[in-house]
């Protein structure tokens, strides 16, 4: 008669741990609630896939290997993945060949650090960003700083999405080509402003796809400056000439003591921004104009 194995998954792990590591004990996992057979099956499948990728002994095909053999296999798998990541990025860079290429060669130290930093980049969207950086550096050596490379290395895919959302709300001025995100204005204090309370007006950027949490994450990794920036007091009659994506926003300051407020990109943020494909957010543009209509006369 065949004996039915009634051990639970936790008990099997305990048994496996004792057989391989002597008295080592795996602490029990507290269940958050009863799981369905379907959920248990999904968890087991994902756990098995991750175990295989890690080279752990609980994965099928690894239990018969010694600890040293499993460690060697894990290192070999890691090296193969890293090589594959590097080769994918190098191949993708060919797709972003620019129209003009400098005769100057890339700094060998820069390229060595580039290669080292890309080894563990496996997300395809992030690989595309790294490929664009390499293509841009081939075209114009010195375009991307090592600081920017290390910043990008720390960036998660979630933070890259936040940067994309920020890019969709960014514009530039003729005076300063560094991109910025305008969100409001204020008036310098005066008795009338204090009495009426009409001294400040701001947009909620979350309505246009950029949450405050995303802003904080971009500040944390060094792509946005750590605080809101004010333009300085703008005199009546001063011209505004903003470039928002492919649109020109032209106007004239029509109120006294006006200060515009915005978030500004750091040097690393400014270097990464051109790598993104941006689209104008018409709702944001309309809301920004509506917000500023009391202090700016816009030209059609």
């Amino acid at each position: 008669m065949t004996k039915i194995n009634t051990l639970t998954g936790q008990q099997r792990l305990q048994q496996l741990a004792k057989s391989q590591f002597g008295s080592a004990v795996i602490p029990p996992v507290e269940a958050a609630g009863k799981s369905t057979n379907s959920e248990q099956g999904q968890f087991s499948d994902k756990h098995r896939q991750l175990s295989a990728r890690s080279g752990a002994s609980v994965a099928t095909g690894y239990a018969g290997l010694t600890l040293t053999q499993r460690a060697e296999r894990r290192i070999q798998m890691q090296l193969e993945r890293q090589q594959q990541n590097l080769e994918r990025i190098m191949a993708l860079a060919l797709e972003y060949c620019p129209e003009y290429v400098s005769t100057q060669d890339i700094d060998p130290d820069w390229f060595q650090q580039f290669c080292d930093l890309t080894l563990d980049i496996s997300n395809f969207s992030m690989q595309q960003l790294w490929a664009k950086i390499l293509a841009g550096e081939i075209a114009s050596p010195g375009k991307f700083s090592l600081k920017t490379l290390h910043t990008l290395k720390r960036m998660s895919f979630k933070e890259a999405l936040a940067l994309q959302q920020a890019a969709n709300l960014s514009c530039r001025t003729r005076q300063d080509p560094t991109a910025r995100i305008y969100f409001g204005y204020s008036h310098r204090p005066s008795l009338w402003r204090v009495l009426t309370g009409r001294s400040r007006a701001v947009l909620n950027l979350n309505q246009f796809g950029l949450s405050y949490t995303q802003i904080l994450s971009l500040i944390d990794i060094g792509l946005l400056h750590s605080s809101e920036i004010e333009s300085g007091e703008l005199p009546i009659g001063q011209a505004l000439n903003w470039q928002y994506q492919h649109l020109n926003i032209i106007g004239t300051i029509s109120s006294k003591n006006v200060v515009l407020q915005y978030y500004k990109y750091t040097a690393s943020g400014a270097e990464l921004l051109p790598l993104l494909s941006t689209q104008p957010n018409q709702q944001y543009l309309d809301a920004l104009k509506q917000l500023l209509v009391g202090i700016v006369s816009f030209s059609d």
Side-chain angles (χ1 to χ4, degrees), residues 31-47:
K34 293 183 177 180
S35 300
T36 65
N37 291 334
S38 176
E39 290 172 338
Q40 291 175 346
Q42 291 177 2
F43 177 84
S44 297
D45 289 342
K46 292 181 179 180
H47 182 270

Side-chain angles (χ1 to χ4, degrees), residues 132-164:
K132 289 179 180 179
I133 283 181
L134 179 58
E137 191 70 14
I138 292 173
S140 180
K143 185 175 183 178
F144 295 98
S145 67
L146 288 174
K147 181 178 180 180
T148 296
L149 296 188
H150 286 275
T151 298
L152 183 58
K153 172 66 175 180
R154 295 192 299 120
M155 189 189 304
S156 66
F157 180 61
K158 186 176 180 179
E159 289 164 339
L161 292 178
L163 180 60
Q164 178 66 70

Side-chain angles (χ1 to χ4, degrees), residues 140-295:
S140 180
K143 185 175 183 178
F144 295 98
S145 67
L146 288 174
K147 181 178 180 180
T148 296
L149 296 188
H150 286 275
T151 298
L152 183 58
K153 172 66 175 180
R154 295 192 299 120
M155 189 189 304
S156 66
F157 180 61
K158 186 176 180 179
E159 289 164 339
L161 292 178
L163 180 60
Q164 178 66 70
Q165 292 296 103
N168 290 336
L169 305 182
S170 301
C171 64
R172 295 173 173 80
T173 67
R174 288 186 178 274
Q175 293 77 19
D176 186 352
T178 302
R180 53 189 67 181
I181 306 168
Y182 287 99
F183 64 87
Y185 72 89
S186 63
H187 284 280
R188 290 302 187 194
S190 67
L191 179 59
W192 171 252
R193 300 295 178 188
V194 172
L195 292 176
T196 60
R198 300 172 182 173
S199 60
R200 190 167 187 258
V202 297
L203 289 176
N204 180 4
L205 296 178
N206 188 51
Q207 297 178 355
F208 312 105
L210 183 63
S211 69
Y212 189 62
T213 301
Q214 289 176 313
I215 292 173
L216 291 179
S217 70
L218 294 177
I219 290 173
D220 184 58
I221 61 176
L223 297 180
L224 288 178
H225 285 287
S226 59
S227 61
E228 302 170 355
I229 296 178
E230 294 186 342
S231 63
E233 190 171 318
L234 302 175
I236 292 180
Q238 178 165 327
L240 294 182
N241 194 335
W242 297 345
Q243 181 75 30
Y244 176 60
Q245 315 298 339
H246 60 274
L247 304 173
N248 288 317
I249 305 174
I250 299 174
T252 305
I253 298 295
S254 58
S255 182
K256 293 182 179 180
N257 308 319
V258 171
V259 174
L260 298 179
Q261 296 174 316
Y262 54 89
Y263 294 104
K264 188 175 181 179
Y265 290 86
T266 62
S268 293
E271 287 183 10
L272 291 177
L273 211 58
L275 302 178
L276 304 175
S277 299
T278 57
Q279 295 181 345
N281 187 319
Q282 190 61 47
Q283 290 183 326
Y284 165 73
L285 180 58
D286 293 341
L288 181 62
K289 284 187 173 182
Q290 183 62 36
L291 181 79
L292 301 178
V293 71
I295 63 168

